[in-house]
Amino acid sequence: DAGITQSPRYKITETGRQVTLMCHQTWSHSYMFWYRQDLGHGLRLIYYSAAADITDKGEVPDGYVVSRSKTENFPLTLESATRSQTSVYFCASSESDRWGTEAFFGQGTRLTVV
Amino acid sequence: TQLLEQSPQFLSIQEGENLTVYCNSSSVFSSLQWYRQEPGEGPVLLVTVVTGGEVKKLKRLTFQFGDARKDSSLHITAAQPGDTGLYLCAGANSGNTPLVFGKGTRLSVIA
């Protein structure tokens, strides 16, 4: 299917466990982003990537790791999950970094850390 | 850090009413985008405004970019239950910095 897909849609994990959220896009967009969405905070950028093997920190990167070995995939790993990382995570992609370029979002992954 | 303040945070209105939501900043942006997010889904782009003073219409939705490119508004005429959702504004700058999102306005239109 064309577009941007996230997996899993829902995940429950225990404190201290490592968990990886997957993101795959079929457009060959250069830019990919990970956001978390929390009540009262809106969408906050965790990490972004301008191309394969190029990643950069966003507003709230602590506790997260990303990689981008292939243009179409941008996994987000929580190295040791904490309850404060309970959130809805959105992956997005865009064609370029040029201002005004549309960002396309996945459906989100709802992560609960118990 | 550039911030976008959206108001009101919550809005509940009856079908057929008009409403305006606002997106304000002390910073200048090259462009502003408006997204709508429905429950269980990711945000979807509605419009991008790039010129100060620009007005764009999308059916019953009217978007305006402030003359100084620091603020924007979204006006909905004769709201319908299908307009229910979270409306997010996002600012972009020239260069390669990612979008800055506001916290959103959660709109509920009651039939």
mmCIF file of all heavy atoms in Angstrom, chain A residues 9 31 33 35 37 39-43 45 48 90 97-108, chain B residues 30-31 33 35 37 40-43 45 48 50 86 88 92-96 98-99 101-103 106:
data_model
loop_
_atom_site.group_PDB
_atom_site.id
_atom_site.type_symbol
_atom_site.label_atom_id
_atom_site.label_comp_id
_atom_site.label_asym_id
_atom_site.label_seq_id
_atom_site.Cartn_x
_atom_site.Cartn_y
_atom_site.Cartn_z
ATOM 1 N N ARG A 9 0.168 -0.556 15.953
ATOM 2 C CA ARG A 9 -0.761 0.526 16.253
ATOM 3 C C ARG A 9 -0.901 0.731 17.759
ATOM 4 O O ARG A 9 -1.094 1.846 18.227
ATOM 5 C CB ARG A 9 -2.138 0.232 15.663
ATOM 6 C CG ARG A 9 -2.233 0.338 14.155
ATOM 7 C CD ARG A 9 -2.025 1.758 13.652
ATOM 8 N NE ARG A 9 -2.804 2.777 14.331
ATOM 9 C CZ ARG A 9 -4.048 3.103 14.017
ATOM 10 N NH1 ARG A 9 -4.676 2.488 13.040
ATOM 11 N NH2 ARG A 9 -4.669 4.073 14.663
ATOM 12 N N TYR A 31 12.754 13.457 3.788
ATOM 13 C CA TYR A 31 12.663 13.802 5.192
ATOM 14 C C TYR A 31 11.675 12.911 5.928
ATOM 15 O O TYR A 31 10.578 12.634 5.440
ATOM 16 C CB TYR A 31 12.246 15.270 5.363
ATOM 17 C CG TYR A 31 13.402 16.213 5.147
ATOM 18 C CD1 TYR A 31 13.868 16.480 3.866
ATOM 19 C CD2 TYR A 31 14.047 16.792 6.229
ATOM 20 C CE1 TYR A 31 14.951 17.309 3.675
ATOM 21 C CE2 TYR A 31 15.133 17.626 6.044
ATOM 22 C CZ TYR A 31 15.583 17.880 4.764
ATOM 23 O OH TYR A 31 16.662 18.696 4.580
ATOM 24 N N PHE A 33 10.223 12.144 10.149
ATOM 25 C CA PHE A 33 10.139 12.766 11.471
ATOM 26 C C PHE A 33 9.445 11.817 12.453
ATOM 27 O O PHE A 33 8.573 11.045 12.068
ATOM 28 C CB PHE A 33 9.305 14.052 11.416
ATOM 29 C CG PHE A 33 9.710 15.016 10.328
ATOM 30 C CD1 PHE A 33 9.199 14.888 9.041
ATOM 31 C CD2 PHE A 33 10.589 16.051 10.592
ATOM 32 C CE1 PHE A 33 9.563 15.773 8.042
ATOM 33 C CE2 PHE A 33 10.956 16.930 9.594
ATOM 34 C CZ PHE A 33 10.446 16.792 8.320
ATOM 35 N N TYR A 35 7.301 12.301 16.052
ATOM 36 C CA TYR A 35 6.692 13.189 17.033
ATOM 37 C C TYR A 35 6.020 12.351 18.112
ATOM 38 O O TYR A 35 5.595 11.235 17.876
ATOM 39 C CB TYR A 35 5.592 14.052 16.395
ATOM 40 C CG TYR A 35 6.061 15.069 15.385
ATOM 41 C CD1 TYR A 35 6.177 14.741 14.038
ATOM 42 C CD2 TYR A 35 6.350 16.379 15.777
ATOM 43 C CE1 TYR A 35 6.582 15.681 13.110
ATOM 44 C CE2 TYR A 35 6.755 17.322 14.848
ATOM 45 C CZ TYR A 35 6.866 16.971 13.526
ATOM 46 O OH TYR A 35 7.267 17.905 12.602
ATOM 47 N N GLN A 37 2.722 12.896 20.863
ATOM 48 C CA GLN A 37 1.590 13.774 21.109
ATOM 49 C C GLN A 37 1.010 13.459 22.479
ATOM 50 O O GLN A 37 0.582 12.330 22.734
ATOM 51 C CB GLN A 37 0.518 13.604 20.028
ATOM 52 C CG GLN A 37 -0.605 14.625 20.122
ATOM 53 C CD GLN A 37 -1.559 14.526 18.948
ATOM 54 O OE1 GLN A 37 -1.881 13.458 18.454
ATOM 55 N NE2 GLN A 37 -2.005 15.688 18.449
ATOM 56 N N LEU A 39 -1.500 15.171 25.781
ATOM 57 C CA LEU A 39 -2.446 16.216 26.183
ATOM 58 C C LEU A 39 -1.701 17.348 26.865
ATOM 59 O O LEU A 39 -0.879 17.118 27.740
ATOM 60 C CB LEU A 39 -3.490 15.643 27.132
ATOM 61 C CG LEU A 39 -4.635 14.875 26.482
ATOM 62 C CD1 LEU A 39 -5.528 14.264 27.545
ATOM 63 C CD2 LEU A 39 -5.449 15.793 25.575
ATOM 64 N N GLY A 40 -1.977 18.546 26.426
ATOM 65 C CA GLY A 40 -1.351 19.713 27.040
ATOM 66 C C GLY A 40 -0.022 20.099 26.434
ATOM 67 O O GLY A 40 0.506 21.167 26.732
ATOM 68 N N HIS A 41 0.522 19.226 25.605
ATOM 69 C CA HIS A 41 1.821 19.509 24.988
ATOM 70 C C HIS A 41 1.766 19.557 23.470
ATOM 71 O O HIS A 41 2.682 20.034 22.824
ATOM 72 C CB HIS A 41 2.847 18.462 25.409
ATOM 73 C CG HIS A 41 3.234 18.547 26.855
ATOM 74 N ND1 HIS A 41 4.119 19.478 27.343
ATOM 75 C CD2 HIS A 41 2.834 17.810 27.920
ATOM 76 C CE1 HIS A 41 4.254 19.303 28.647
ATOM 77 N NE2 HIS A 41 3.498 18.310 29.020
ATOM 78 N N GLY A 42 0.729 19.026 22.894
ATOM 79 C CA GLY A 42 0.660 19.016 21.443
ATOM 80 C C GLY A 42 1.666 18.060 20.839
ATOM 81 O O GLY A 42 2.103 17.095 21.468
ATOM 82 N N LEU A 43 2.053 18.343 19.612
ATOM 83 C CA LEU A 43 3.029 17.516 18.898
ATOM 84 C C LEU A 43 4.438 18.031 19.191
ATOM 85 O O LEU A 43 4.748 19.184 18.914
ATOM 86 C CB LEU A 43 2.781 17.586 17.388
ATOM 87 C CG LEU A 43 1.696 16.694 16.815
ATOM 88 C CD1 LEU A 43 1.367 17.119 15.399
ATOM 89 C CD2 LEU A 43 2.128 15.246 16.850
ATOM 90 N N LEU A 45 8.559 17.285 18.537
ATOM 91 C CA LEU A 45 9.485 16.575 17.667
ATOM 92 C C LEU A 45 10.541 15.851 18.488
ATOM 93 O O LEU A 45 11.195 16.440 19.339
ATOM 94 C CB LEU A 45 10.151 17.571 16.707
ATOM 95 C CG LEU A 45 11.103 16.995 15.669
ATOM 96 C CD1 LEU A 45 10.355 16.104 14.688
ATOM 97 C CD2 LEU A 45 11.811 18.132 14.931
ATOM 98 N N TYR A 48 14.493 13.774 13.705
ATOM 99 C CA TYR A 48 14.170 13.830 12.300
ATOM 100 C C TYR A 48 15.394 13.424 11.482
ATOM 101 O O TYR A 48 16.510 13.342 12.003
ATOM 102 C CB TYR A 48 13.636 15.194 11.876
ATOM 103 C CG TYR A 48 14.599 16.345 11.984
ATOM 104 C CD1 TYR A 48 15.224 16.876 10.862
ATOM 105 C CD2 TYR A 48 14.848 16.950 13.217
ATOM 106 C CE1 TYR A 48 16.065 17.951 10.958
ATOM 107 C CE2 TYR A 48 15.695 18.036 13.325
ATOM 108 C CZ TYR A 48 16.300 18.540 12.188
ATOM 109 O OH TYR A 48 17.153 19.611 12.286
ATOM 110 N N PHE A 90 3.790 9.625 16.449
ATOM 111 C CA PHE A 90 3.496 9.786 15.035
ATOM 112 C C PHE A 90 4.777 9.906 14.241
ATOM 113 O O PHE A 90 5.689 10.659 14.593
ATOM 114 C CB PHE A 90 2.645 11.033 14.786
ATOM 115 C CG PHE A 90 1.227 10.880 15.217
ATOM 116 C CD1 PHE A 90 0.800 11.362 16.441
ATOM 117 C CD2 PHE A 90 0.310 10.242 14.394
ATOM 118 C CE1 PHE A 90 -0.513 11.219 16.845
ATOM 119 C CE2 PHE A 90 -1.014 10.090 14.784
ATOM 120 C CZ PHE A 90 -1.414 10.576 16.014
ATOM 121 N N ASP A 97 12.861 19.762 2.544
ATOM 122 C CA ASP A 97 12.920 20.615 3.728
ATOM 123 C C ASP A 97 12.447 22.025 3.409
ATOM 124 O O ASP A 97 12.412 22.880 4.270
ATOM 125 C CB ASP A 97 14.344 20.692 4.260
ATOM 126 C CG ASP A 97 15.283 21.390 3.285
ATOM 127 O OD1 ASP A 97 15.014 21.340 2.065
ATOM 128 O OD2 ASP A 97 16.283 21.972 3.736
ATOM 129 N N ARG A 98 12.064 22.254 2.180
ATOM 130 C CA ARG A 98 11.681 23.594 1.785
ATOM 131 C C ARG A 98 10.456 24.028 2.568
ATOM 132 O O ARG A 98 9.493 23.284 2.694
ATOM 133 C CB ARG A 98 11.388 23.630 0.289
ATOM 134 C CG ARG A 98 11.143 24.994 -0.279
ATOM 135 C CD ARG A 98 11.039 24.940 -1.805
ATOM 136 N NE ARG A 98 10.827 26.255 -2.369
ATOM 137 C CZ ARG A 98 9.631 26.813 -2.489
ATOM 138 N NH1 ARG A 98 8.575 26.166 -2.087
ATOM 139 N NH2 ARG A 98 9.502 28.011 -3.010
ATOM 140 N N TRP A 99 10.463 25.220 3.067
ATOM 141 C CA TRP A 99 9.384 25.679 3.907
ATOM 142 C C TRP A 99 8.063 25.596 3.156
ATOM 143 O O TRP A 99 7.980 25.876 1.990
ATOM 144 C CB TRP A 99 9.641 27.104 4.401
ATOM 145 C CG TRP A 99 10.030 28.083 3.330
ATOM 146 C CD1 TRP A 99 11.295 28.408 2.954
ATOM 147 C CD2 TRP A 99 9.164 28.854 2.502
ATOM 148 N NE1 TRP A 99 11.268 29.336 1.943
ATOM 149 C CE2 TRP A 99 9.985 29.648 1.647
ATOM 150 C CE3 TRP A 99 7.783 28.974 2.390
ATOM 151 C CZ2 TRP A 99 9.460 30.528 0.732
ATOM 152 C CZ3 TRP A 99 7.252 29.854 1.464
ATOM 153 C CH2 TRP A 99 8.087 30.620 0.649
ATOM 154 N N GLY A 100 7.042 25.190 3.862
ATOM 155 C CA GLY A 100 5.730 25.053 3.265
ATOM 156 C C GLY A 100 5.455 23.686 2.674
ATOM 157 O O GLY A 100 4.352 23.428 2.217
ATOM 158 N N THR A 101 6.448 22.801 2.685
ATOM 159 C CA THR A 101 6.222 21.458 2.162
ATOM 160 C C THR A 101 5.319 20.677 3.098
ATOM 161 O O THR A 101 5.501 20.699 4.303
ATOM 162 C CB THR A 101 7.559 20.727 1.999
ATOM 163 O OG1 THR A 101 8.405 21.472 1.136
ATOM 164 C CG2 THR A 101 7.349 19.346 1.411
ATOM 165 N N GLU A 102 4.357 19.976 2.530
ATOM 166 C CA GLU A 102 3.398 19.217 3.321
ATOM 167 C C GLU A 102 4.069 18.050 4.025
ATOM 168 O O GLU A 102 4.905 17.338 3.451
ATOM 169 C CB GLU A 102 2.295 18.681 2.424
ATOM 170 C CG GLU A 102 1.250 17.837 3.145
ATOM 171 C CD GLU A 102 0.136 17.389 2.229
ATOM 172 O OE1 GLU A 102 0.183 17.720 1.020
ATOM 173 O OE2 GLU A 102 -0.793 16.707 2.705
ATOM 174 N N ALA A 103 3.685 17.844 5.270
ATOM 175 C CA ALA A 103 4.116 16.666 6.025
ATOM 176 C C ALA A 103 2.984 15.644 6.004
ATOM 177 O O ALA A 103 1.831 15.988 6.251
ATOM 178 C CB ALA A 103 4.474 17.041 7.455
ATOM 179 N N PHE A 104 3.311 14.408 5.707
ATOM 180 C CA PHE A 104 2.332 13.330 5.674
ATOM 181 C C PHE A 104 2.559 12.462 6.907
ATOM 182 O O PHE A 104 3.670 12.000 7.148
ATOM 183 C CB PHE A 104 2.509 12.484 4.413
ATOM 184 C CG PHE A 104 2.206 13.213 3.150
ATOM 185 C CD1 PHE A 104 3.180 13.970 2.512
ATOM 186 C CD2 PHE A 104 0.937 13.169 2.583
ATOM 187 C CE1 PHE A 104 2.904 14.661 1.349
ATOM 188 C CE2 PHE A 104 0.649 13.849 1.418
ATOM 189 C CZ PHE A 104 1.631 14.596 0.795
ATOM 190 N N PHE A 105 1.501 12.245 7.646
ATOM 191 C CA PHE A 105 1.591 11.527 8.912
ATOM 192 C C PHE A 105 1.052 10.110 8.813
ATOM 193 O O PHE A 105 0.098 9.844 8.075
ATOM 194 C CB PHE A 105 0.797 12.266 9.999
ATOM 195 C CG PHE A 105 1.471 13.516 10.496
ATOM 196 C CD1 PHE A 105 1.375 14.701 9.800
ATOM 197 C CD2 PHE A 105 2.211 13.493 11.669
ATOM 198 C CE1 PHE A 105 1.994 15.855 10.255
ATOM 199 C CE2 PHE A 105 2.832 14.640 12.141
ATOM 200 C CZ PHE A 105 2.721 15.817 11.421
ATOM 201 N N GLY A 106 1.657 9.233 9.594
ATOM 202 C CA GLY A 106 1.110 7.912 9.781
ATOM 203 C C GLY A 106 -0.065 7.958 10.745
ATOM 204 O O GLY A 106 -0.446 9.027 11.241
ATOM 205 N N GLN A 107 -0.657 6.805 11.018
ATOM 206 C CA GLN A 107 -1.840 6.739 11.875
ATOM 207 C C GLN A 107 -1.502 6.743 13.359
ATOM 208 O O GLN A 107 -2.398 6.844 14.188
ATOM 209 C CB GLN A 107 -2.655 5.493 11.538
ATOM 210 C CG GLN A 107 -3.333 5.570 10.176
ATOM 211 C CD GLN A 107 -4.222 4.366 9.946
ATOM 212 O OE1 GLN A 107 -3.754 3.230 9.937
ATOM 213 N NE2 GLN A 107 -5.500 4.601 9.763
ATOM 214 N N GLY A 108 -0.240 6.633 13.676
ATOM 215 C CA GLY A 108 0.169 6.703 15.066
ATOM 216 C C GLY A 108 0.307 5.348 15.729
ATOM 217 O O GLY A 108 -0.317 4.359 15.326
ATOM 218 N N SER B 30 7.918 31.875 7.601
ATOM 219 C CA SER B 30 7.856 31.937 6.141
ATOM 220 C C SER B 30 6.506 31.455 5.631
ATOM 221 O O SER B 30 6.032 31.923 4.600
ATOM 222 C CB SER B 30 8.968 31.085 5.533
ATOM 223 O OG SER B 30 10.227 31.572 5.923
ATOM 224 N N SER B 31 5.935 30.508 6.320
ATOM 225 C CA SER B 31 4.615 30.006 5.948
ATOM 226 C C SER B 31 3.961 29.381 7.164
ATOM 227 O O SER B 31 4.630 29.041 8.143
ATOM 228 C CB SER B 31 4.719 28.969 4.831
ATOM 229 O OG SER B 31 5.356 27.796 5.302
ATOM 230 N N GLN B 33 0.950 26.404 8.156
ATOM 231 C CA GLN B 33 0.083 25.341 7.683
ATOM 232 C C GLN B 33 -0.992 25.073 8.729
ATOM 233 O O GLN B 33 -0.774 25.252 9.922
ATOM 234 C CB GLN B 33 0.899 24.059 7.451
ATOM 235 C CG GLN B 33 1.987 24.207 6.406
ATOM 236 C CD GLN B 33 2.803 22.940 6.241
ATOM 237 O OE1 GLN B 33 2.866 22.111 7.133
ATOM 238 N NE2 GLN B 33 3.424 22.790 5.081
ATOM 239 N N TYR B 35 -3.531 21.917 9.882
ATOM 240 C CA TYR B 35 -3.833 20.497 9.792
ATOM 241 C C TYR B 35 -5.095 20.199 10.601
ATOM 242 O O TYR B 35 -5.385 20.862 11.594
ATOM 243 C CB TYR B 35 -2.688 19.651 10.361
ATOM 244 C CG TYR B 35 -1.414 19.648 9.548
ATOM 245 C CD1 TYR B 35 -0.517 20.703 9.609
ATOM 246 C CD2 TYR B 35 -1.103 18.570 8.720
ATOM 247 C CE1 TYR B 35 0.649 20.700 8.867
ATOM 248 C CE2 TYR B 35 0.078 18.547 7.983
ATOM 249 C CZ TYR B 35 0.942 19.610 8.065
ATOM 250 O OH TYR B 35 2.109 19.595 7.332
ATOM 251 N N GLN B 37 -6.866 16.874 12.590
ATOM 252 C CA GLN B 37 -6.610 15.521 13.067
ATOM 253 C C GLN B 37 -7.896 14.943 13.643
ATOM 254 O O GLN B 37 -8.500 15.543 14.541
ATOM 255 C CB GLN B 37 -5.516 15.522 14.122
ATOM 256 C CG GLN B 37 -5.132 14.141 14.620
ATOM 257 C CD GLN B 37 -4.015 14.191 15.644
ATOM 258 O OE1 GLN B 37 -3.704 15.241 16.206
ATOM 259 N NE2 GLN B 37 -3.409 13.057 15.921
ATOM 260 N N GLY B 40 -7.815 8.932 16.462
ATOM 261 C CA GLY B 40 -7.201 7.699 15.994
ATOM 262 C C GLY B 40 -6.447 7.824 14.684
ATOM 263 O O GLY B 40 -5.996 6.811 14.132
ATOM 264 N N GLU B 41 -6.296 9.047 14.201
ATOM 265 C CA GLU B 41 -5.612 9.259 12.923
ATOM 266 C C GLU B 41 -4.498 10.282 13.094
ATOM 267 O O GLU B 41 -4.429 11.012 14.088
ATOM 268 C CB GLU B 41 -6.596 9.766 11.869
ATOM 269 C CG GLU B 41 -7.770 8.851 11.607
ATOM 270 C CD GLU B 41 -7.360 7.565 10.913
ATOM 271 O OE1 GLU B 41 -6.355 7.587 10.180
ATOM 272 O OE2 GLU B 41 -8.027 6.535 11.140
ATOM 273 N N GLY B 42 -3.620 10.354 12.088
ATOM 274 C CA GLY B 42 -2.607 11.391 12.090
ATOM 275 C C GLY B 42 -3.154 12.677 11.492
ATOM 276 O O GLY B 42 -4.188 12.677 10.818
ATOM 277 N N PRO B 43 -2.487 13.801 11.722
ATOM 278 C CA PRO B 43 -2.920 15.074 11.134
ATOM 279 C C PRO B 43 -2.874 15.025 9.606
ATOM 280 O O PRO B 43 -2.003 14.381 9.022
ATOM 281 C CB PRO B 43 -1.896 16.070 11.683
ATOM 282 C CG PRO B 43 -1.325 15.425 12.897
ATOM 283 C CD PRO B 43 -1.320 13.958 12.598
ATOM 284 N N LEU B 45 -3.024 17.693 6.208
ATOM 285 C CA LEU B 45 -2.894 19.089 5.809
ATOM 286 C C LEU B 45 -4.188 19.615 5.183
ATOM 287 O O LEU B 45 -4.780 18.980 4.307
ATOM 288 C CB LEU B 45 -1.752 19.245 4.806
ATOM 289 C CG LEU B 45 -1.479 20.674 4.329
ATOM 290 C CD1 LEU B 45 -0.914 21.520 5.472
ATOM 291 C CD2 LEU B 45 -0.526 20.684 3.141
ATOM 292 N N THR B 48 -1.826 25.636 3.191
ATOM 293 C CA THR B 48 -0.583 26.350 3.503
ATOM 294 C C THR B 48 -0.749 27.786 3.052
ATOM 295 O O THR B 48 -1.188 28.040 1.924
ATOM 296 C CB THR B 48 0.613 25.721 2.764
ATOM 297 O OG1 THR B 48 0.744 24.351 3.155
ATOM 298 C CG2 THR B 48 1.903 26.452 3.107
ATOM 299 N N VAL B 50 1.393 31.411 2.612
ATOM 300 C CA VAL B 50 2.803 31.802 2.520
ATOM 301 C C VAL B 50 3.026 33.304 2.420
ATOM 302 O O VAL B 50 4.133 33.779 2.662
ATOM 303 C CB VAL B 50 3.482 31.115 1.316
ATOM 304 C CG1 VAL B 50 3.474 29.614 1.484
ATOM 305 C CG2 VAL B 50 2.838 31.512 0.014
ATOM 306 N N LEU B 86 -9.321 17.938 15.875
ATOM 307 C CA LEU B 86 -8.270 18.773 16.445
ATOM 308 C C LEU B 86 -7.630 19.555 15.308
ATOM 309 O O LEU B 86 -7.166 18.963 14.332
ATOM 310 C CB LEU B 86 -7.225 17.896 17.142
ATOM 311 C CG LEU B 86 -6.030 18.617 17.770
ATOM 312 C CD1 LEU B 86 -6.471 19.467 18.957
ATOM 313 C CD2 LEU B 86 -4.977 17.599 18.221
ATOM 314 N N LEU B 88 -4.680 21.948 14.095
ATOM 315 C CA LEU B 88 -3.302 22.282 14.453
ATOM 316 C C LEU B 88 -2.739 23.277 13.458
ATOM 317 O O LEU B 88 -2.910 23.108 12.246
ATOM 318 C CB LEU B 88 -2.431 21.026 14.425
ATOM 319 C CG LEU B 88 -2.752 19.933 15.439
ATOM 320 C CD1 LEU B 88 -2.187 18.601 14.975
ATOM 321 C CD2 LEU B 88 -2.193 20.290 16.797
ATOM 322 N N ALA B 92 6.564 27.244 9.490
ATOM 323 C CA ALA B 92 7.784 26.831 8.807
ATOM 324 C C ALA B 92 8.661 28.043 8.556
ATOM 325 O O ALA B 92 8.158 29.153 8.346
ATOM 326 C CB ALA B 92 7.456 26.149 7.488
ATOM 327 N N ASN B 93 9.949 27.810 8.599
ATOM 328 C CA ASN B 93 10.906 28.856 8.281
ATOM 329 C C ASN B 93 11.735 28.458 7.083
ATOM 330 O O ASN B 93 11.842 27.286 6.753
ATOM 331 C CB ASN B 93 11.827 29.116 9.467
ATOM 332 C CG ASN B 93 11.246 30.125 10.407
ATOM 333 O OD1 ASN B 93 10.825 31.207 10.002
ATOM 334 N ND2 ASN B 93 11.189 29.786 11.669
ATOM 335 N N SER B 94 12.309 29.437 6.446
ATOM 336 C CA SER B 94 13.224 29.132 5.353
ATOM 337 C C SER B 94 14.417 28.393 5.942
ATOM 338 O O SER B 94 14.705 28.494 7.120
ATOM 339 C CB SER B 94 13.678 30.415 4.671
ATOM 340 O OG SER B 94 14.265 31.287 5.604
ATOM 341 N N GLY B 95 15.027 27.600 5.154
ATOM 342 C CA GLY B 95 16.109 26.779 5.667
ATOM 343 C C GLY B 95 15.608 25.384 5.977
ATOM 344 O O GLY B 95 14.533 24.978 5.545
ATOM 345 N N ASN B 96 16.342 24.661 6.749
ATOM 346 C CA ASN B 96 16.024 23.249 6.941
ATOM 347 C C ASN B 96 15.617 22.934 8.373
ATOM 348 O O ASN B 96 15.899 21.874 8.889
ATOM 349 C CB ASN B 96 17.202 22.373 6.516
ATOM 350 C CG ASN B 96 18.461 22.723 7.301
ATOM 351 O OD1 ASN B 96 18.442 23.635 8.115
ATOM 352 N ND2 ASN B 96 19.524 22.006 7.062
ATOM 353 N N PRO B 98 12.711 21.955 11.063
ATOM 354 C CA PRO B 98 11.406 21.302 10.965
ATOM 355 C C PRO B 98 10.256 22.222 11.362
ATOM 356 O O PRO B 98 10.448 23.261 11.986
ATOM 357 C CB PRO B 98 11.529 20.139 11.952
ATOM 358 C CG PRO B 98 12.976 19.931 12.140
ATOM 359 C CD PRO B 98 13.599 21.284 12.008
ATOM 360 N N LEU B 99 9.052 21.803 11.021
ATOM 361 C CA LEU B 99 7.842 22.534 11.394
ATOM 362 C C LEU B 99 7.733 22.663 12.910
ATOM 363 O O LEU B 99 8.094 21.765 13.652
ATOM 364 C CB LEU B 99 6.606 21.788 10.892
ATOM 365 C CG LEU B 99 6.334 21.775 9.398
ATOM 366 C CD1 LEU B 99 5.181 20.825 9.096
ATOM 367 C CD2 LEU B 99 6.002 23.176 8.910
ATOM 368 N N PHE B 101 4.809 23.100 15.713
ATOM 369 C CA PHE B 101 3.365 22.927 15.851
ATOM 370 C C PHE B 101 2.836 23.650 17.080
ATOM 371 O O PHE B 101 3.485 23.688 18.131
ATOM 372 C CB PHE B 101 3.016 21.442 15.974
ATOM 373 C CG PHE B 101 2.977 20.713 14.673
ATOM 374 C CD1 PHE B 101 4.131 20.163 14.145
ATOM 375 C CD2 PHE B 101 1.796 20.582 13.970
ATOM 376 C CE1 PHE B 101 4.105 19.484 12.933
ATOM 377 C CE2 PHE B 101 1.750 19.903 12.754
ATOM 378 C CZ PHE B 101 2.914 19.364 12.236
ATOM 379 N N GLY B 102 1.628 24.191 16.953
ATOM 380 C CA GLY B 102 0.891 24.655 18.108
ATOM 381 C C GLY B 102 0.260 23.463 18.811
ATOM 382 O O GLY B 102 0.311 22.332 18.308
ATOM 383 N N LYS B 103 -0.359 23.710 19.976
ATOM 384 C CA LYS B 103 -0.949 22.614 20.746
ATOM 385 C C LYS B 103 -2.327 22.222 20.242
ATOM 386 O O LYS B 103 -2.859 21.185 20.614
ATOM 387 C CB LYS B 103 -1.019 22.981 22.229
ATOM 388 C CG LYS B 103 0.346 23.141 22.871
ATOM 389 C CD LYS B 103 0.230 23.504 24.336
ATOM 390 C CE LYS B 103 1.621 23.678 24.947
ATOM 391 N NZ LYS B 103 1.550 24.044 26.381
ATOM 392 N N ARG B 106 -9.290 21.922 19.968
ATOM 393 C CA ARG B 106 -10.161 20.745 19.833
ATOM 394 C C ARG B 106 -11.589 21.232 19.652
ATOM 395 O O ARG B 106 -12.175 21.826 20.557
ATOM 396 C CB ARG B 106 -10.052 19.844 21.051
ATOM 397 C CG ARG B 106 -10.710 18.473 20.840
ATOM 398 C CD ARG B 106 -10.308 17.479 21.916
ATOM 399 N NE ARG B 106 -8.886 17.192 21.928
ATOM 400 C CZ ARG B 106 -8.287 16.310 21.136
ATOM 401 N NH1 ARG B 106 -8.991 15.632 20.261
ATOM 402 N NH2 ARG B 106 -6.998 16.097 21.230
#
